[in-house]
Amino acid sequence: MSCPDCDCIGTGDIVQHKMNANVFGIVIGFMGTIVIIRVAPTLEVLQFHEWELDLVEDDELPPPPVAAKRPEPDNVIPVDFTKRRPLKPNTTTEGAA
């Protein structure tokens, strides 16, 4: 991993191509000045020179998805269907659905 105070590229960093921002991925290795990255979303392994890549800062990444909460209904009345219950107050119909 790279240090937070410098813009050096290290293994495990997320980088993108300077000329084509659609090409981005994670650094998986080095061969001299050649950086080997696994490109997202195809998982293809490509090689670029260091000066062709920009380090993507963590604050530019979208936040991870959060599981949606189901809204709590506030007007739900529990009903016991084994007992007779009037549908509305002051009605003559009991237990009819």
Side-chain angles (χ1 to χ4, degrees):
M1 299 296 259
S2 65
C3 63
D5 297 329
C6 60
D7 57 349
C8 301
I9 296 173
T11 304
D13 288 340
I14 298 174
V15 293
Q16 71 179 9
H17 196 270
K18 287 183 180 180
M19 298 297 290
N20 185 358
N22 293 327
V23 177
F24 65 96
I26 189 166
V27 176
I28 59 172
F30 294 93
M31 290 188 316
T33 61
I34 302 292
V35 181
I36 304 167
I37 67 170
R38 185 172 309 275
V39 181
T42 62
L43 301 179
E44 182 180 3
V45 176
L46 298 178
Q47 300 173 7
F48 296 99
H49 289 282
E50 283 180 313
W51 55 82
E52 294 180 291
L53 301 172
D54 275 334
L55 185 62
V56 177
E57 299 297 327
D58 288 339
D59 57 350
E60 294 177 15
L61 296 176
V66 178
K69 292 184 178 179
R70 292 183 180 251
E72 292 291 330
D74 55 353
N75 60 351
V76 175
I77 301 171
V79 177
D80 184 6
F81 289 102
T82 61
K83 297 181 182 176
R84 299 185 95 180
R85 178 183 168 125
L87 293 178
K88 293 183 182 178
N90 303 327
T91 61
T92 59
T93 307
E94 281 190 23

